[in-house]
Amino acid sequence: MAGTLSSSTLHCQTYLVFTSQNPLRNLNSSFLINIEKRALIRCSAKKKIGFVDQILDYIEGGPKLRKWYGAPELLPKDGPIVEDQEEEDYPEDEVRDAVLVTDGDSEIGQMVILSLIVKRARVKALVKDKRLANEAFGTYVESISGETSNKVFVKKALRGVRAIICPNEGFLSSIESFKGVEHIVLLSQLFVYRASSGIQAIMKNNQRKIAEKDESVLMASGIPYTIVRAGMLQKTPGGTQGFSFEEGCSASGSLSMEDAASLCVEALEVVPQARFTFEVVNGGEKVSDWKECLTRLIGKTEQ
């Protein structure tokens, strides 16, 4: 391979696509994913290898990138998927270093997962189609499938999890306990639903109720949380626009889905002491340091 990776950091744009027939190779508009990369690509003058091919390489089994990421060898795709045995008792001192992404087969869930992979995070994902998820991400993601009404399954899903990212509504209000979780990030469309009128308000009424319940459960959980109240999510390229964090902006503005996914991942790096809620849409403010930006926003909410 002509391209190699160093430990330097460079922000550039990549687009990946997922379809049910071929999760990674069919490049079309079904799943357009923009990722901020944390690697500097060095290529020979004769043959330049793009990051699309490199990220596909490590997800689909490229040995060099597997070694660089420190991941185990991928299992054969055609092999049977063996469900994990149910376990009820976990040690109290278990290592919690994983990030759980709910609704992992959704478009924005896929975007969040890939952003976490690039950050070399340990990722667990709740999915409906475990086989497809395993084909897409191999051993870079621990894909789990089950009913959140099942307490044994929920306990298994939360094993080793330090933080949860909820890119869609519905998960939090279905869970009784988040024992051991240290931080939850919720991408909320509540203000968008509330601002809807006419037929749109009727169509989004159920989503609004679920979003309200999710936020209510999260606020009562006692776990440090970040609620990202985004404007209307748009399927537009991320990383090309600035942002606005003005109060009330999410009811009338819009936000790139790619930017929303990246922001949820960035929010993991800034854990509030208790609660942190902010609104965000695409706007004129350029953000070069998300940690500084989010810390500043937390300071404003505490005043």
Side-chain angles (χ1 to χ4, degrees), residues 28-86:
N28 55 48
S29 59
S30 61
F31 278 105
L32 183 64
I33 299 182
N34 170 266
I35 308 171
E36 287 191 350
K37 289 168 291 299
R38 301 291 191 256
L40 177 62
I41 305 167
R42 299 183 185 274
C43 302
S44 69
K46 292 183 179 180
K47 186 177 180 180
K48 187 174 183 179
I49 304 299
F51 199 81
V52 171
D53 292 329
Q54 295 190 46
I55 196 168
L56 290 176
D57 218 15
Y58 80 73
I59 289 177
E60 293 190 326
K64 291 184 179 178
L65 288 176
R66 275 207 310 276
K67 183 177 180 181
W68 187 79
Y69 269 84
E73 294 294 316
L74 298 179
L75 298 176
K77 291 182 181 179
D78 296 332
I81 296 176
V82 180
E83 294 292 335
D84 296 329
Q85 297 295 321
E86 290 187 352

Side-chain angles (χ1 to χ4, degrees), residues 102-114:
T102 67
D103 203 5
D105 358 51
S106 68
E107 186 170 4
I108 191 165
Q110 297 274 10
M111 296 177 185
V112 170
I113 289 170
L114 280 178

